[in-house]
Amino acid sequence: MSLLWIYPLAALAEIAGCFSFWAWWKLARSPLWLIPGLMSLALFAWLLSLVDVSQAGRAFAIYGGAYIAVSVIWLWLVEHQLPSRWDILGSAICLLGSVIIVLGARGQ
């Protein structure tokens, strides 16, 4: 599975898992929301372990850009809040940073 799929899927799994805790705590949802949330967080960890990067810290740094971009998409599609131009610009800058790290890691 390529980085183009693993990182966004991992981000979606992490965000969904964390959102289950948010919904339980902040939105007064049932504690049962935590069960799929924990499963989603486990899926996130497994997906992130599939990346073909030799150092965990570098894999996590690359992942950071995908997480931010997917979070802004989540904001729009799940929470029905239109991202601001600053959300979009910030996400693009973070994705660019991830691309720089990926390209730099290939040269080592």
Side-chain angles (χ1 to χ4, degrees), residues 32-101:
L32 293 176
W33 275 62
L34 300 177
I35 296 169
L38 290 169
M39 292 170 51
S40 187
L41 289 170
L43 175 63
F44 150 71
W46 176 73
L47 284 167
L48 205 53
S49 72
L50 296 177
V51 298
D52 187 23
V53 175
S54 50
Q55 296 85 17
R58 184 165 288 128
F60 302 157
I62 295 165
Y63 167 71
Y67 178 85
I68 291 168
V70 173
S71 294
V72 170
I73 293 168
W74 179 279
L75 173 73
W76 176 38
L77 296 178
V78 176
E79 298 184 69
H80 308 290
Q81 295 294 314
L82 193 61
S84 72
R85 65 178 175 217
W86 303 111
D87 295 327
I88 294 167
L89 178 61
S91 296
I93 290 169
C94 292
L95 283 173
L96 178 60
S98 292
V99 168
I100 291 169
I101 294 170

Side-chain angles (χ1 to χ4, degrees), residues 15-44:
I15 293 163
C18 291
F19 184 77
S20 73
F21 280 80
W22 179 277
W24 165 66
W25 187 255
K26 299 253 186 184
L27 304 177
R29 298 292 200 272
S30 165
L32 293 176
W33 275 62
L34 300 177
I35 296 169
L38 290 169
M39 292 170 51
S40 187
L41 289 170
L43 175 63
F44 150 71

